[in-house]
Amino acid sequence: MKKSWIAFLTMVFCVVFISPGWAAYKIGFVASITGPASWLGEPEKNTALMLREWINAASGIRGVPIEIVIEDSKGMEADAVLATKKLIERDNVLVVIGSSTTGESMAMVPICEQVETLMISMAAALSIVTPDDEMKRMEASKKPWLEVPKKQRYWIFKVAPSDASAVEKIYIYCQAKKIKRVAIITVSAGFGVEGRRQLKRLAPKYGIEIVADELYGPKDTDMTAQLTKIKASPAQAVINWSVGPTQVIVTKNWSDLGMRGKIPLIQSHGFGNKSNIKLAGGAAEGVITPLGRVLYAEKVDPKNPQKPVIMKYKTEYEKRFKSDVSTFGGHAYDAIMMVADALKAVGADKKGIRDYLETKIRNWPGTGGIYNMSPTDHTGFGADGFEMMEVVHGEWEFAK
Amino acid sequence: MGKENRRAVFILMICLGIFPFFIRSDYYLSIMIFIGINAIIVMGLSLLMGYAGQISLGHAAFFGIGAYCSGVLTVKLGFSIFTAFFCGIFLSTIMAMAIAIPTLKLKGHYLAVATLGFGEIIYVIFNELLEITGGPSGLSGIPSIHFFGYSFKGGWRYFYLVWTVAILLLIFSLNIIHSRIGRALRAVHGSEVAAQAMGVNVSQFKIQVFVLSAIYASVAGTLYAHFVTFISPSTFSLFVSILLLMMVVIGGGGSIWGALLGAGILTVLPESLRAFRDFDILVYGIILMTILLFMPEGIFKGLTLSLIWMRKKW
Amino acid sequence: MSLFSEILQFVFTGLTIGSIYSMVGLGFNIIYNATTIINLAQGEFVMFGGLIMVFLTVVLKFPLFVGFPLTVIVVMAIGAVFERFAIHPLRNASLLTLIIVTIAASILFRGIAMFIWGKDPYSLPPFTPGSPVMIGGAVIMLQTFWVLGTTLAIVVLTTLFFGKTIVGKAMSACSFNPMAASLMGIHVRKMILISFALSAGLGAVAGIVITPMSLMDYDRGPMLAVKGFCAAVLGGLGVGYGVVLGGFIVGLLESLTAGLIHSGFKDAVALVILLFILCFKPSGIFGSEEVSKIKKF
């Protein structure tokens, strides 16, 4: 009798005190939900909420539900640091996903490296996954446009395409169109500066000359002056690199200055949001941009392995949140699903999850592209994640 | 420094000294470290605003100069942390003098705009000097502080470092206030003309305080850079200057203790509002409004007054 | 494209941007004239103007001539409520505290706007559809004429209001010496209330006319407020025409620097010139030093 009581009490003890540790797989999620980069953080947060429901509705992973702890980094590095520390210490998360912007991600990198926790960034810059000395070596090279990283940060991965990939896609398109002189106009904020650096770095590789190099601020309301200069230059195409309202204003100004048909406007992959076309009114007609396939999932070739993934994500997202799908939310999807796959294979093992990502994510169809992670590539895909698209009657069509 | 202040500093030192023994979490220690860093800047601003009656909307720039000097000199040029730290102070001093001397004759809103303009110019420079500062993408790989073979990596060590600096500056500030300079400053705040008539060299004092507050901010910048190990211009924008100003006013413009309190409250508040998710900006705004409406003299004075009121009651 | 038409283009762009700064600056000026407060929530009135207009005309499908006045009235009401609940109870507090209150209000307003409209930017169709006009090789959008025209109308109206009407003159009196003003039988409280409502309305007008060109989102206010503030100080706080000219000067400087020098430095150049001018004219280009000595701030 006594023994059975002890057994019973032990069981109760186990259930009450030990099981909470196993009750859920905890994933930390940092995004700039408010502040200047909120248009990135918002779809990312929505996607995280939706995926949590999907996974838990399918009785979790190995029968264990997942919990995604979402924190707002407000577009500030100091906030990203605090959010990451909170997730790692107070919530004891297995993995940290985030953040939305390069600056915030860079501030989080040393923390995750120090406590040896996997971090998957949703921002684009190559420097997030590449160690500083490797970046320096590449920059110091005599032909920087031919360099690729040979080393990656051990604990850090990212799922957003590098800016260089989008640039290469654009330049390949320009080559095919016999465009040799381009003008670039970029926003003087993280995204634009990185894009500008890559545009300048890769131009010689494709025999392209940059004939005008214009800038504007992230809160500017009119870029007519800069575009006027470009109009007067010998450029055959203008490439804009920015995200948010400014890229719509550039589109409007470009259209108003009557540059359509003469100097085509090529936008960065940041243009990947239907609402940009709506906001620009008719001005976006003829804009060309490299886009991830999730945005035009219906038009993608059914043989493409990405097709089922992106169709499901797109329809569900649009039904649930009544807003157009964006590539940024897709980054959150890819990061969470990779972690979910890893958890399925190795369980709650931090090192195991990392190793799974580096070695087992091969030909893995996500929303961004088909991922092939390796010890020298923690991004997993390149220019092949994009197609050049053109705005025709307010819709994306494959650019001819 | 009066008797009461001495006692208060002593209590504060004990509280901070034992804090890491009870709170082991790196997260809470990081919050305390950010409070310390903000407190250092806000103390300087409080000397400038509360005691000398000058308003500055450009102190994030000095914060940034300190941070970028430390970052750029250690990362790009291989300077020692110590040398870089003093270079930051030196550069801030030069800049502060350069801006203080011509703008001295300005007052009120005009001075505010002049300092704002200065801050924005520095911000643009951080953004545009791509080769040196890394531009908007920021500067990464800043080493953590170590001297004499002792590394200050890790939460509690850095906590002690930041707060030792903060307490030293606190004692220094309290001494200034209760010295001849402090009395002269308050005279300047009360009435410049009267102070001048009494033989106070008003413009000299104003420059000195402005430079001093710039040095405080620069020190904080160094501490920030080596703690986060990554810096980008957005940390030093105008809106950070405004936030710092709010810390002074919310804490209580006329006192160093208020500055400490303001820095603490406005650093902790956003963290504690994490539960509100997207609506934290709304709640944050409401709380700020409430504090200002009910304690227009700042929390420090508000609390002191209510304490006195309570003592009388019982 | 010739250099002449390029410069002409820069000038038109500068005038357009400048007129927005002017309108924001005038909003500052009205409140400053009545209270010596700088209302840093002024940019949020612009933001409310744009977003409420979008709600009325795009969502509720009101015609332009109904939506326009309605928006202005709603924003004026917001301004009045703000004065009654946040500024009025603190009338004995220090000026700095009051300015910080306006910053807190701006954060609160942004929170409310984000709550209602979310974080996406919104657009309005141009008031008059049609293709842009060519003048001397420069392209001018039709909306530009609306912006410039509105600014002109507002400058004329405010000048008449402060110069010719009893209420306007009474408001100016309040700023110099509220005590003396109230002894002269001026209802100071009411004047301050009116000044907030007026400047909110002005902000709303600015917001409505720029939204078709530059979109509007909840976070747009602070930058506009800062630029308007600089414009007002450059021209000389308290001097209506000075503030307006200050706005145009800042706008033109920005656009010409971006076009002729380097677009990355456009904000810096405008500010360096501002600092330079303040060194020689501490009260702004058109401000009077005599007057600014009397004022506490």
Side-chain angles (χ1 to χ4, degrees), chain A residues 310-324:
Chain A
I310 51 182
M311 276 310 283
K312 182 177 178 212
Y313 173 61
K314 186 174 191 229
T315 37
E316 292 286 323
Y317 186 95
E318 289 179 351
K319 200 169 77 193
R320 162 101 193 250
F321 297 107
K322 308 265 176 305
S323 69
D324 289 314

Side-chain angles (χ1 to χ4, degrees), chain C residues 86-134:
Chain C
I87 301 294
H88 184 65
L90 288 176
R91 58 199 173 279
N92 297 325
S94 76
L95 196 59
L96 189 60
T97 308
L98 284 168
I99 294 170
I100 297 290
V101 166
T102 65
I103 298 177
S106 113
I107 296 175
L108 183 62
F109 285 153
R110 259 178 285 157
I112 294 170
M114 195 180 85
F115 188 74
I116 300 174
W117 286 282
K119 297 157 198 157
D120 294 328
Y122 290 87
S123 181
L124 274 178
F127 294 174
T128 36
S131 49
V133 185
M134 296 278 281

Side-chain angles (χ1 to χ4, degrees), chain A residues 33-34 45 70-72 74 77-79 81-83 85-86 89-90 103 106 110 132 188-190 193 196 215, chain B residues 25-28 30-31 34 128 130 136-137 140-141 227-230 232 234-235 270-271 274 277-278 280:
Chain A
I33 302 166
T34 56
K45 179 202 74 181
I70 301 173
E71 293 294 343
D72 181 6
K74 302 180 190 126
E77 281 114 33
D79 283 286
V81 166
L82 287 177
K85 290 200 167 164
K86 177 192 168 278
E89 289 196 1
R90 283 181 56 201
M106 290 301 287
D132 293 324
S188 55
V193 170
R196 177 162 170 247
L215 295 164
Chain B
S25 154
D26 200 30
Y27 168 60
Y28 290 117
S30 300
I31 295 181
F34 281 121
E128 291 300 320
L130 280 183
S137 322
S140 64
F227 178 61
V228 180
T229 71
F230 173 84
S232 81
S234 65
T235 314
E271 280 306 306
R274 281 196 184 280
R277 289 278 151 76
D278 295 17
D280 58 351

Side-chain angles (χ1 to χ4, degrees), chain A residues 82-239:
Chain A
L82 287 177
T84 314
K85 290 200 167 164
K86 177 192 168 278
L87 288 171
I88 291 173
E89 289 196 1
R90 283 181 56 201
D91 300 312
N92 254 320
V93 296
L94 290 165
V95 174
V96 176
I97 295 174
S99 179
S100 318
T101 66
T102 299
E104 292 161 299
S105 303
M106 290 301 287
M108 289 162 61
V109 164
I111 304 168
C112 292
E113 283 184 328
Q114 203 190 345
V115 297
E116 309 201 321
T117 299
L118 173 68
M119 173 182 141
I120 307 178
S121 169
M122 297 180 284
L126 198 57
S127 53
I128 298 169
V129 288
T130 312
D132 293 324
D133 48 347
E134 183 67 7
M135 288 301 280
K136 264 186 207 144
R137 182 191 68 75
M138 288 166 61
E139 275 160 25
S141 154
K142 282 213 180 77
K143 290 187 173 168
W145 54 88
L146 295 176
E147 286 290 341
V148 283
K150 296 193 185 104
K151 267 192 302 188
Q152 298 279 271
R153 292 183 202 265
Y154 191 75
W155 288 99
I156 317 294
F157 289 76
K158 75 182 174 78
V159 286
S162 300
D163 299 299
S165 309
V167 171
E168 296 210 37
K169 190 77 196 177
I170 291 175
Y171 281 166
I172 292 169
Y173 174 83
C174 288
Q175 251 184 344
K177 289 274 159 193
K178 307 241 168 349
I179 294 172
K180 290 212 174 301
R181 293 180 303 276
V182 296
I184 60 175
I185 175 167
T186 54
V187 65
S188 55
F191 184 75
V193 170
E194 190 57 31
R196 177 162 170 247
R197 191 185 300 172
Q198 299 301 338
L199 283 164
K200 285 175 148 177
R201 178 173 79 92
L202 292 166
K205 187 176 169 186
Y206 295 90
I208 284 168
E209 189 195 350
I210 293 170
V211 292
D213 174 13
E214 293 298 322
L215 295 164
Y216 52 86
K219 290 270 166 196
D220 281 7
T221 51
D222 193 309
M223 292 80 177
T224 316
Q226 290 92 326
L227 285 167
T228 305
K229 260 176 99 177
I230 290 175
K231 199 176 165 188
S233 77
Q236 292 164 295
V238 50
I239 303 172

Side-chain angles (χ1 to χ4, degrees), chain C residues 254-278:
Chain C
E254 279 188 8
S255 138
L256 287 172
T257 318
L260 301 176
I261 305 170
H262 176 57
S263 27
F265 288 121
K266 75 178 165 47
D267 291 335
V269 169
L271 288 165
V272 167
I273 292 176
L274 173 75
L275 281 184
F276 194 71
I277 290 175
L278 283 183

Side-chain angles (χ1 to χ4, degrees), chain B residues 199-214:
Chain B
V200 176
N201 188 343
V202 174
S203 55
Q204 189 197 328
F205 275 117
K206 276 187 178 171
I207 297 182
Q208 281 172 352
V209 177
F210 195 85
V211 169
L212 190 67
S213 68

